[in-house]
Amino acid sequence: MGYELRVVRESPLAFAELARAIAPAGFELRGSDEIVAPHGGGRHAVAHWRGQLVGEPGSDWQLAQLLRLSAVLGARLVGEDGEVYAVRDGVIEALTGGSAVEIGKFDEIIDAGPSAWSP
């Protein structure tokens, strides 16, 4: 199991609400619990439903898609260690302890696709 990021909202997210909200944003439900996003003619996993939305990104693209999904649901994207991921001025940032670490430009990451991170 990798590093988990959770989609967190003030009000609990019901599965039925999730299913209704994702399609207009281009996400799809695959099976009973996997959220996927299209890229390059394929569908790629972004998150899983485990009573809440959880993602284990293996690329910046998956991280960016989790941020898109969070925005669609009016939620925040939070890491296991409490850091919050956000997009500010078109740049993805990880916010922790009062400081921000830039990850990259959102649009460029989305365009690049789901290439896995190097070990």
Side-chain angles (χ1 to χ4, degrees), residues 1 3 52:
M1 185 192 276
Y3 190 79
Q52 68 178 22

Side-chain angles (χ1 to χ4, degrees), residues 28-90:
E28 297 176 12
L29 184 61
R30 181 166 54 193
S32 63
D33 71 341
E34 187 174 46
I35 309 301
V36 298
H39 185 80
R43 304 271 183 255
H44 305 274
V46 173
H48 290 87
W49 178 257
R50 297 180 184 149
Q52 68 178 22
L53 274 177
V54 177
E56 295 178 26
S59 70
D60 287 344
W61 182 87
Q62 287 172 314
L63 172 62
Q65 293 294 350
L66 279 165
L67 281 164
R68 281 187 58 234
L69 185 56
S70 297
V72 165
L73 298 169
R76 296 177 303 134
L77 186 61
V78 180
E80 288 179 10
D81 297 326
E83 73 279 13
V84 175
Y85 294 83
V87 178
R88 185 171 53 120
D89 298 328

Side-chain angles (χ1 to χ4, degrees), residues 80-105:
E80 288 179 10
D81 297 326
E83 73 279 13
V84 175
Y85 294 83
V87 178
R88 185 171 53 120
D89 298 328
V91 176
I92 297 174
E93 297 179 329
L95 309 165
T96 183
S99 63
V101 175
E102 288 188 4
I103 294 171
K105 292 182 179 180

